[in-house]
Amino acid sequence: MQITNRKKILNFLIQVTIFTSLPLFGFNCMDMGPLLRQPATEFKSLADTGRIENVIPLEDYTAQTEFGFQPKAVPALMNFNQIYHAMLNLTGQTSSGLDSEAGRTYVSVRGSLTDASDINEVTGSGILSTNTLAGEVCNSLLNKESRLMAAQRTFFPAIMFNRGLETVTNGVTTVNMTEAVYLTAASEMALNFWDRSMTAEETALFTAFRNDYFAGLTATERAAAKETKGILLGTCVVMLSAVEDFTY
Amino acid sequence: MSVRILTVLLLSALSFLLPVANAQIATNSDREEAKWLLERLTGVKWRGKDPVLEEVTRLIKLGQRKQAAQLATQQPQFLNVLVKQFALQMSTQDETRRIPLNDFAAMVMGHTRDGGDARELLYGNFSYKGDPEQFGSYRIQNNAVDDIGLSNDHYDSLESSGIDVGKVLTRIDEQMLIVNMNGANISRQNPDPAGLLTSRAWVQAHAVAGTNRRLVEYTFRQFMCVKIEEWADPLANEARIGRDIDRFPGGDNKVFQNTCRACHTVMDGFRGAFANLDYNGRPTNSTFGNTTGADKNLVVNKMNKNEKVYPGGYVTVDNSWVNNADRPGNSALFGWRKPASGEVTHGSGIAQFGRLVANSQRFSQCMAQRVFDSVCKKQLTPTEKAAMLVRLGSQFEQNGYSLRKQFITTATDVQCK
C-alpha cells in the first residue's frame, strides 16, 4: 500500500516536471512563442485565458511574424553539456569527473538531451533525461550536505539528516520536517536555482507535495532517516529540472 | 478530485513559465544583465547566491560592463564549457559537439586563455596538452606516443577526470608526429606544422582516405564560414584539376563544365598544400620517406589516384598550391590580404595555406560570427548580420585577433542581447 502511494507521489512529481515543460515546448506541434513573449502579468489564471493558446490572439502573433518582427531576449536552450555543468554549478558542486555517479548518468543520458539552442528542439525523452540527471546531481548534493555540520551547509542548514520526518518518543510524535522547515529548504533551493523567491502558487504546490509525501508513508517509515533525504531529493529534482534551469 | 489535480498542475505549469516571461521584461535591471552576461560567457547557470554573480552585478551597477565580462571569462566554465564547445564543433566532419575533448579543442582553449593571436591557430608550430605537474591526484593518461600521438586518450582522460582542463593545459612549442621506424614508434617534429590544420583530430576527420580535397573544403567551411557552393567558380582556371575527375561524365563534357568544374577549380588549386599529408591511424607526413603510400616525389598516392579517368589532368608532384579563388567575386568574398610571409596567388605547404586563410578578411568575420553565435544565440536579419560581421570582424582585428577579447566585445555589444 505504501509502495503504491509513494509511486503515486513520484508519478506526480514527474508529471509536474513534464507538464510544466511541455507547454513551453509546444507539445511538438503548438507554437508557444506568443505565450513566452507575454509579460508575466498577463498570466493570472486559466480562467482569464480560457485556453493557453488564446493568451495572445493568433492573428496578432501572425501579423508580428509576417512583418519580420523579432521579439528580443527569447530564452535560448542549453545543450546537453551545458545542462550538466549548469546543474553542477547551481548546486555548488565542481565536476568530480565522468566516473562519478552524476558523471556516469550524464554519459548515459546525454544522447537524449538536445544539442540545439532553439527552445522548440526539446523532446519528451530530453525532459525525462533532464529529470534523471537532476536526480543524480541532487543525490550528490544531499550526500555532500548531509556530511557537513549544519553551519557549514549551503542549502539545508536546518535539516536533521540523521532523523526521520517524525520522531516518536514515549508515544509522543514530534514532527521534524515541519511545513516551515520544509518550505525554508525549498525556498533556499529556489533562491539558489532560480535566483528568486517561490511564488504563492509554487509554495502551495510544494506544501501539497509535502503533505502527500507524509500521507503516503506509515508511521514507521516517517520515522526513518532516509525519508528526510527522500522528500528533499524529490523536491530538488523538480526544482532543478524546471525550465529556467536550462534556458538562458 | 481529478479536476483539482489538473488545476494544480496547470497552475504550476504557468507559475514555472512566469520567470521566463519575466526575464524578457526585466532586462533593464542590473541583476538581470549581470546574470545574462555571466551565463552567456560561461555557458552555464549560476546560483542566485554565488559570490561571482554578486561581483558581476556590482560591476554592472558601476557601469563597468567590460570588467564584468572579463570577470566572467576568468571563470573555469568559460574555457571548459563555452570555448570547448565552440572549438569541438569545428573539429569534425559532422560538426557535432557530442565528442570527447581532442587536441584541436585543447589548442583553441589554451590559445584563447593565453590571449594568443588566433591567426596562429592556422599556421603555428605549437600544441596544447595537460601539464603533469598540475595533475595532482588525478590519473591522466599522458604517454606522448600512445596517448597523444596514436590516440585521443590523453585528452579524453583529461576531460573525463573532472580536472579543470582550461587551467592545466600547457603550450608546447612544437607539433609532433609519430613515425614508425623499423617497427618502433618514435616521436618526430612535424616538418610542416600548421596549428589546427595539422592537429590529430582535424587530420583524422578530413584526411582519412579520400583525395585530400575535404581538407580544403572544410578549412574554408570552418575558418571562413563559406560553404563550397558559395565559392565555386566555373570560370576559374582548371589547370590544377586532377586526373581523377571525369571531364566527360556520361560522355558529355557539358556536365563537367556545368556541375563539376566550378568546385574543382578552386578546391584542386589549393589541394596541393596537403600533398604530403595522410592519416593511417595517425597523421603522417610522406616527406619522412618511410610512408609506403607515397610516390617517388613523396606525394601521397591518393593525390594522383584514378589516373586513367582523365589522363590529361593535373599530376601533383609537390606541395605547391595556387589560389584560383582570386577572380573578382571570390576576391570580394574572401578579402585576401598578403600575409607577412607568402603570397596571395600561390604558395607551398599547409602552413602557407593557413597563413593565406588566416590573414583574409573573411577569417576575421567568420570568427566574429562564430563567437556571436556561441554567445548571443539569436538570429539576425541578413542586413543586420552583414553589418555585424563587418563591425565585429574589424573589432577582432583591432583586438589583436584575441578570441578572449572577442568574446568580451561580443557579449557587451548592443546587438548581442
Side-chain angles (χ1 to χ4, degrees):
Chain A
M1 182 61 184
Q2 285 78 29
I3 291 171
T4 311
N5 281 344
R6 292 190 63 188
K7 276 186 177 171
K8 266 190 198 164
I9 293 166
L10 284 174
N11 282 338
F12 173 72
L13 281 171
I14 292 169
Q15 282 171 6
V16 169
T17 309
I18 295 173
F19 196 84
T20 52
S21 306
L22 281 178
L24 187 62
F25 305 119
F27 297 98
N28 286 336
C29 60
M30 189 173 80
D31 182 3
M32 292 302 291
L35 188 66
L36 286 175
R37 289 162 201 135
Q38 273 297 86
T41 50
E42 295 290 329
F43 305 115
K44 289 173 184 169
S45 74
L46 278 185
D48 294 335
T49 61
R51 290 169 55 199
I52 291 174
E53 57 267 44
N54 285 344
V55 171
I56 288 184
L58 185 60
E59 57 273 20
D60 288 358
Y61 174 60
T62 309
Q64 286 175 350
T65 52
E66 276 180 356
F67 289 101
F69 170 66
Q70 290 289 325
K72 290 192 172 180
V74 172
L77 191 65
M78 290 187 161
N79 68 32
F80 62 102
N81 192 245
Q82 290 177 296
I83 290 173
Y84 174 55
H85 286 283
M87 285 183 177
L88 291 174
N89 210 35
L90 284 171
T91 53
Q93 302 179 85
T94 53
S95 173
S96 49
L98 299 182
D99 212 21
S100 62
E101 280 301 320
R104 277 193 289 272
T105 303
Y106 163 67
V107 170
S108 72
V109 304
R110 66 184 167 191
S112 305
L113 298 171
T114 182
D115 188 23
S117 59
D118 185 343
I119 206 152
N120 291 310
E121 295 284 329
V122 165
T123 62
S125 64
I127 294 168
L128 289 174
S129 297
T130 305
N131 288 335
T132 306
L133 186 57
E136 283 304 336
V137 173
C138 285
N139 192 44
S140 172
L141 168 67
L142 285 161
N143 286 338
K144 178 185 161 195
E145 291 257 312
S146 62
R147 284 194 288 264
L148 297 172
M149 302 292 287
Q152 296 172 314
R153 296 177 198 155
T154 305
F155 290 86
F156 312 112
I159 301 295
M160 292 180 284
F161 284 101
N162 57 347
R163 294 193 189 173
L165 300 172
E166 295 174 351
T167 307
V168 182
T169 312
N170 299 326
V172 179
T173 302
T174 307
V175 179
N176 300 317
M177 187 67 76
T178 61
E179 198 172 295
V181 168
Y182 172 74
L183 287 178
T184 301
S187 295
E188 196 61 33
M189 283 192 271
L191 287 170
N192 274 290
F193 298 171
W194 303 339
D195 193 26
R196 63 173 176 82
S197 303
M198 289 196 295
T199 62
E201 292 92 341
E202 287 157 1
T203 303
L205 180 72
F206 284 108
T207 303
F209 165 65
R210 174 200 167 272
N211 295 338
D212 281 350
Y213 196 95
F214 268 65
L217 301 174
T218 63
T220 310
E221 287 171 331
R222 284 198 294 272
K226 68 174 186 178
E227 295 301 342
T228 296
K229 205 166 150 187
I231 193 171
L232 292 174
L233 181 62
T235 310
C236 176
V237 169
V238 169
M239 298 182 92
L240 198 56
S241 309
V243 170
E244 57 196 292
D245 294 318
F246 53 93
T247 53
Y248 68 151
Chain B
M1 180 62 181
S2 61
V3 173
R4 231 172 63 197
I5 290 175
L6 187 63
T7 308
V8 170
L9 285 171
L10 289 174
L11 280 173
S12 67
L14 287 178
S15 71
F16 274 80
L17 287 173
L18 288 178
V20 178
N22 266 325
Q24 294 161 44
I25 59 169
T27 49
N28 289 331
S29 79
D30 297 332
R31 180 70 167 189
E32 285 300 320
E33 183 167 354
K35 273 188 65 139
W36 184 90
L37 194 65
L38 186 57
E39 289 171 359
R40 290 303 173 101
L41 279 173
T42 57
V44 300
K45 302 288 286 190
W46 286 78
R47 278 194 302 126
K49 293 183 173 181
D50 197 295
V52 175
L53 178 56
E54 299 294 340
E55 179 60 13
V56 173
T57 306
R58 190 185 70 80
L59 290 168
I60 293 289
K61 271 183 186 159
L62 294 171
Q64 299 175 353
R65 300 179 77 238
K66 292 273 182 195
Q67 288 87 338
Q70 269 174 353
L71 179 60
T73 62
Q74 286 162 9
Q75 305 313 308
Q77 292 91 344
F78 168 67
L79 292 171
N80 295 334
V81 179
L82 191 72
V83 177
K84 181 183 80 174
Q85 296 201 353
F86 166 86
L88 279 179
Q89 194 167 21
M90 289 191 279
S91 71
T92 65
Q93 188 183 356
D94 299 339
E95 299 178 317
T96 179
R97 289 177 287 208
R98 296 183 190 277
I99 52 170
L101 177 74
N102 53 36
D103 61 341
F104 182 107
M107 204 184 298
V108 176
M109 290 165 68
H111 205 58
T112 302
R113 180 197 64 192
D114 297 343
D117 181 332
R119 290 176 297 181
E120 290 176 12
L121 287 170
L122 297 192
Y123 56 78
N125 182 15
F126 66 95
S127 57
Y128 276 84
K129 63 185 278 292
D131 177 5
E133 291 186 6
Q134 297 185 59
F135 290 165
S137 59
Y138 290 98
R139 296 181 65 185
I140 310 292
Q141 293 178 250
N142 195 38
N143 183 287
V145 174
D146 293 336
D147 302 325
I148 298 176
L150 296 178
S151 74
N152 190 52
D153 290 350
H154 172 69
Y155 298 97
D156 201 348
S157 71
L158 269 178
E159 185 182 39
S160 301
S161 71
I163 201 170
D164 182 349
V165 179
K167 187 181 169 194
V168 303
L169 285 174
T170 187
R171 180 179 165 123
I172 310 293
D173 280 316
E174 60 186 8
Q175 284 197 353
M176 306 303 290
L177 289 176
I178 305 304
V179 181
N180 191 298
M181 302 289 270
N182 303 321
N185 287 321
I186 59 168
S187 191
R188 289 184 60 177
Q189 292 211 11
N190 187 334
D192 187 12
L196 299 173
L197 300 183
T198 44
S199 67
R200 189 177 184 283
W202 180 265
V203 177
Q204 183 179 16
H206 303 302
V208 66
T211 54
N212 279 1
R213 289 186 173 95
R214 197 162 73 230
L215 288 154
V216 177
E217 182 192 351
Y218 272 75
T219 301
F220 280 36
R221 186 181 174 99
Q222 304 302 351
F223 303 110
M224 294 202 277
C225 302
V226 187
K227 292 180 182 170
I228 190 168
E229 56 268 27
E230 294 174 70
W231 50 259
D233 183 357
L235 299 179
N237 192 325
E238 65 175 292
R240 281 266 178 164
I241 299 180
R243 293 183 297 182
D244 57 336
I245 303 303
D246 193 351
R247 276 27 171 213
F248 298 90
D252 188 353
N253 180 253
K254 275 192 297 188
V255 177
F256 166 76
Q257 294 291 347
N258 293 332
T259 61
C260 311
R261 175 180 169 160
C263 297
H264 282 284
T265 51
V266 178
M267 194 159 48
D268 286 26
F270 283 118
R271 182 170 70 127
F274 301 98
N276 305 122
L277 188 69
D278 205 350
Y279 185 86
N280 299 307
R282 71 187 80 176
T284 61
N285 188 299
S286 54
T287 58
F288 285 132
N290 68 327
T291 307
T292 53
D295 61 21
K296 61 181 169 49
N297 295 315
L298 300 179
V299 171
V300 292
N301 289 337
K302 62 181 174 179
M303 295 291 293
N304 292 314
K305 73 179 186 182
N306 296 328
E307 69 277 11
K308 290 180 182 166
V309 173
Y310 183 71
Y314 183 77
V315 181
T316 302
V317 294
D318 55 26
N319 67 351
S320 65
W321 51 263
V322 294
N323 181 356
N324 285 332
D326 61 346
R327 289 169 20 83
N330 274 333
S331 285
L333 178 66
F334 292 117
W336 301 120
R337 290 178 290 206
K338 190 177 180 304
S341 65
E343 299 293 331
V344 167
T345 53
H346 62 279
S348 292
I350 307 170
Q352 280 195 9
F353 170 64
R355 277 184 190 276
L356 175 73
V357 172
N359 280 284
S360 71
Q361 199 172 23
R362 188 75 192 184
F363 170 73
S364 302
Q365 295 179 358
C366 178
M367 291 300 107
Q369 182 183 327
R370 289 193 177 281
V371 171
F372 186 89
D373 291 343
S374 288
V375 176
C376 308
K377 307 276 184 192
K378 67 188 277 194
Q379 296 291 321
L380 300 178
T381 64
T383 312
E384 286 175 329
K385 184 176 173 183
M388 179 276 288
L389 287 180
V390 170
R391 188 165 47 80
L392 290 179
S394 170
Q395 284 270 2
F396 183 48
E397 294 178 7
Q398 286 167 22
N399 285 335
Y401 291 88
S402 161
L403 279 173
R404 180 191 281 276
K405 286 183 182 169
Q406 187 64 14
F407 274 100
I408 293 170
T409 301
T410 304
T412 51
D413 188 85
V414 66
Q415 217 169 5
C416 185
K417 196 161 183 182

